[in-house]
Amino acid sequence: MRRVVGFAAVAVLAGSPALAGCSSDGSGGSAPGTPAPEGLRVEVVVAGLSHPWDVGFLPDGRMLVPQRPGRISLVSDGRATDVEADLGDVAARGEGGLMSLVVHPDFATSRRFTTCFNTASDVRLVTWELAGTKATRVKDPLVAGLPTNPSGRHSGCRMALDREGHLLVGTGDTARGNVAQDKSSLGGKVLRVDLNTGEGVAGNPFGDRIYTYGHRNIQGVAIRPDGVVFTAEHGPDVDDEVNVLEPGANYGWDPSQGGAVGGYDEDVPMTDLERFPDAVPAVWSSGDSTEAICDAAFLVGEQWGALNGVLAVTALKGSKVLLFTVGQDGKVGSVAIPPELDDAHGRLRGAELGPDGALYVTTSNGTDDKILKVTAPTA
């Protein structure tokens, strides 16, 4: 029997009356009759894409957008231009393909960005240098050997830069029972590596690339301004999770039951506190249904008014954005769904705060996908 991990409700963030009174019962959305923020402005930046997975902003305001079938686009002035790049080894199958992208902080001088994608043999990170509309591999691989499933299932591959500039990589367990708890595997983990060398960062808890373990399939990594790292993770048919990362911690996913069963037993708890009493419980769990939550980003800046400091999380199956208020201790105080982003644009995947302070969200419907720009009513 699955056990839903609960959490303690905490006070709503000060100055967030638009979310006051929302449910924190793990239901995945606002309680009936609970006011949700209204009046968000949603504009289409560009259309005609295919499964855009991420948005990387360049210093001149253009966007680099990886698309899962194996294409990178430069987006400017409402138009998408294909980047000339050797992506012939991208294995686009099922959930896998060309996924996350991070623009290097020194892009103005280095012209570098890093992608994460499936190949026939692994999931790997590759660093590129952009000249005009042509990208050339300059570090191939930056990191290799992340496990992959031939079907592409549970490929993970979400990247983000922490406050120190280190690269965090959320990986999937490739739907194999022993991977998440196996610290000799890079699957089912969050990795913390040097952006330039791909090596583990000094101070990592296990002396290598692994930062946390026991994950099922991380799809979102968000860094709060104070440096606390939040992740969004797919559950099986219950218990999508929002987690707060603690170095070296186990997050309790073990579909092999310690090797006692073969295959991939998804009837185990998402966070198995009986098998792993020291595992870190989720700060939010969806409970008996799932939204297939995906990417995550904090809304930061006075332009967001009452929503300043809220964690925005996209959902694939749920076709919505969920807005979480979180306390300083990381626990979720309330959840709300803005009507403008509730089943209005199909499946939603990427979420990135732009240099202009707006939230940029990508759709993932497969045809005529879009990048949406979301701003507060007063912005």
Side-chain angles (χ1 to χ4, degrees):
M1 178 181 294
R2 297 184 178 92
R3 176 168 45 79
V4 178
V5 177
F7 56 88
V10 295
V12 176
L13 286 178
S16 297
L19 297 178
C22 298
S23 170
S24 59
D25 63 0
S27 62
S30 302
T34 297
E38 295 184 0
L40 293 182
R41 296 192 297 180
V42 181
E43 307 167 60
V44 175
V45 176
V46 69
L49 306 176
S50 178
H51 292 295
W53 230 84
D54 215 337
V55 178
F57 293 93
L58 303 185
D60 62 6
R62 294 180 299 167
M63 306 175 200
L64 276 173
V65 181
Q67 297 172 69
R68 195 171 67 193
R71 185 165 69 250
I72 301 172
S73 295
L74 263 174
V75 173
S76 178
D77 298 325
R79 297 182 59 185
T81 302
D82 284 350
V83 173
E84 181 185 347
D86 178 10
L87 292 163
D89 56 343
V90 172
R93 293 190 296 266
E95 300 171 15
L98 178 60
M99 294 179 281
S100 194
L101 181 149
V102 164
V103 175
H104 289 211
D106 64 352
F107 180 88
T109 54
S110 73
R111 311 295 295 176
R112 292 190 173 188
F113 64 94
T114 293
T115 58
C116 182
F117 59 85
N118 298 72
T119 74
S121 59
D122 66 357
V123 174
R124 63 179 51 198
L125 279 59
V126 172
T127 298
W128 307 75
E129 188 172 299
L130 184 68
T133 58
K134 181 178 181 178
T136 304
R137 300 186 187 210
V138 293
K139 186 72 173 177
D140 180 13
L142 178 67
V143 178
L146 281 66
T148 188
N149 188 308
S151 71
R153 192 177 181 206
H154 294 187
S155 296
C157 225
R158 181 65 66 184
M159 300 188 298
L161 295 173
D162 69 13
R163 200 167 59 166
E164 289 73 41
H166 304 311
L167 183 62
L168 297 173
V169 187
T171 72
D173 70 355
T174 68
R176 294 184 174 91
N178 64 338
V179 165
Q181 293 296 324
D182 180 2
K183 290 195 283 292
S184 70
S185 170
L186 297 179
K189 312 293 189 298
V190 174
L191 312 180
R192 183 169 174 256
V193 303
D194 186 288
L195 181 61
N196 296 310
T197 68
E199 298 299 322
V201 175
N204 277 3
F206 305 108
D208 56 11
R209 295 181 173 114
I210 295 174
Y211 191 64
T212 61
Y213 67 106
H215 299 284
R216 184 174 181 269
N217 190 23
I218 289 178
Q219 293 288 293
V221 179
I223 318 300
R224 200 163 64 178
D226 62 1
V228 176
V229 181
F230 289 70
T231 60
E233 188 168 354
H234 283 181
D237 61 350
V238 296
D239 293 342
D240 286 341
E241 290 185 350
V242 173
N243 286 299
V244 174
L245 296 192
E246 300 176 12
N250 182 0
Y251 287 78
W253 174 245
D254 182 20
S256 76
Q257 296 187 37
V261 300
Y264 192 66
D265 179 8
E266 296 194 82
D267 286 332
V268 300
M270 184 67 168
T271 303
D272 193 340
L273 294 174
E274 292 181 6
R275 180 173 293 280
F276 308 107
D278 294 333
V280 178
V283 296
W284 177 86
S285 173
S286 65
D288 290 336
S289 62
T290 57
E291 302 280 4
I293 59 174
C294 201
D295 203 4
F298 279 94
L299 307 182
V300 178
E302 294 181 359
Q303 73 278 5
W304 287 104
L307 298 178
N308 187 12
V310 164
L311 178 66
V313 178
T314 57
L316 294 165
K317 184 175 76 174
S319 299
K320 58 173 67 76
V321 168
L322 297 94
L323 300 178
F324 295 83
T325 60
V326 291
Q328 283 301 111
D329 58 1
K331 291 182 179 179
V332 171
S334 62
V335 186
I337 302 166
E340 298 83 3
L341 293 167
D342 185 6
D343 201 23
H345 305 279
R347 293 162 61 87
L348 303 181
R349 184 179 296 277
E352 190 75 21
L353 198 70
D356 58 357
L359 177 68
Y360 290 81
V361 173
T362 72
T363 72
S364 191
N365 300 309
T367 58
D368 195 29
D369 278 316
K370 301 172 178 64
I371 298 175
L372 308 175
K373 178 181 178 181
V374 183
T375 52
T378 58

